[in-house]
Structures are given as structure tokens and as C-alpha cells.
Amino acid sequence: ACRPSHPIMSYTPEHEHLKSAQDYYDSDDAFNFYKEVWGGDNVHVGIYRDEKVKAIPVGPDYVKAGGEAALEKLFTFVPPKAGDKIADFGSCYGGCARYAATKFGCHVVCIDLSLKENAHNREVTAAAKLDHLVTVKDASFTETGEPSGEFDLVVSEDSILHA
């Protein structure tokens, strides 16, 4: 399940923007910045008005808690059922996928361009013993390779803003 899929090897000229995005997120600077500043699980804006988040001093733990609050809120809109299949577009470090797998018992396919983020996602997912529920795929969410209608739910936190 958490085995590497085929890396994105080549791009046609009309897909050069995907290569640029992949290069950016695979750079050491971007990878380390998002991992350290955003807490290493999620890379999205987060919700910070929650009382338990407000109680945390501003810093990486505060940002991480805001990301977790956003996940909780996201899944109140369409709560998945156990066994549902979810696609996480722009999954980054896989925090959303592991949350859905743990809380709801869902099967989640993480789809992200960054080979470096995906490798980290696979490691953390395997360490959490969730690789039977979470698959990490090296792909763009604009061209997933997945058949239409394959998923019960598609989630994306902020990533579509960058597409």
C-alpha cells in the first residue's frame, strides 16, 4: 500500500507547470520549511479561532493544532463512513489521510506531485501502521490515472488554490 508508485519522469511542454511545482516542493528549502513551520503533518492554512488552539503559544505547535482543527471541521461537512474510498488531492505529508483512516476507517489514496513529500508520507504512514489503509501515489491531481467514479469522497486542503 505505501509502496512508491512510478515517479513522474517526464513532462510535455503543456505540463511544464507541473514540473515546476514538483521541483519547488521537492527542494530542500520548501520541504524543510513546510515540515518545520507547519508541523510536519499538514500543509494548509488551518483554523485558529478554536479555544484549544488559542491556548497554544504561537509557533509550530500552534500551526499544527490549527491544521488539525481544520481537518476536524472539513470532515463535518461530509463525514465519511468506514470503508469509504477517499482521494486526498495535494496530500503533502499525509496528515489528512492518516486522520481519515484512523478516525473513520477509510481507505485513502494520497495524490501528490512531490516525490520528497510522498516519501516522507510513506514513512510516517508505515510507522503509524496505517499502510493497509493509506496508499501514496506520485501523481498530479489534474491527471491521477484513477478511473472516474473511483472515490466516495475527494478532499483537498488549499492545494487546488495552487493548481
Side-chain angles (χ1 to χ4, degrees):
C2 279
R3 292 179 220 77
S5 57
H6 296 287
I8 301 162
M9 301 292 265
S10 62
Y11 293 93
T12 57
E14 66 269 15
H15 295 107
E16 192 58 35
H17 64 287
L18 298 177
K19 178 70 174 132
S20 294
Q22 183 183 38
D23 289 346
Y24 170 74
Y25 286 105
D26 280 342
S27 73
D28 288 341
D29 286 344
F31 179 81
N32 291 327
F33 174 79
Y34 292 121
K35 188 169 173 262
E36 296 305 318
V37 172
W38 258 273
D41 284 322
N42 303 292
V43 178
H44 54 265
V45 176
I47 297 175
Y48 300 95
R49 62 182 172 261
D50 183 282
E51 290 305 316
K52 68 181 179 185
V53 176
K54 285 183 188 179
I56 300 169
V58 174
D61 290 336
Y62 176 78
V63 175
K64 184 175 182 167
E68 291 167 355
L71 281 176
E72 291 170 9
K73 180 72 171 177
L74 174 70
F75 285 109
T76 65
F77 294 108
V78 181
K81 298 178 291 305
D84 277 359
K85 190 169 181 184
I86 298 174
D88 182 1
F89 284 1
S91 55
C92 191
Y93 302 123
C96 178
R98 288 186 297 278
Y99 176 85
T102 301
K103 181 157 178 84
F104 302 105
C106 298
H107 297 275
V108 185
V109 177
C110 295
I111 298 170
D112 200 278
L113 281 172
S114 173
L115 303 177
K116 190 177 254 188
E117 291 174 359
N118 287 344
H120 178 75
N121 184 352
R122 288 181 186 101
E123 287 175 21
V124 175
T125 298
K129 299 186 180 349
L130 291 171
D131 45 355
H132 64 291
L133 292 174
V134 177
T135 301
V136 181
K137 185 173 183 177
D138 303 319
S140 166
F141 57 74
T142 61
E143 295 179 24
T144 66
E146 298 287 336
S148 180
E150 181 72 8
F151 299 100
D152 300 297
L153 181 64
V154 175
V155 296
S156 181
E157 296 183 277
D158 300 349
S159 298
I160 291 178
L161 297 169
H162 303 284

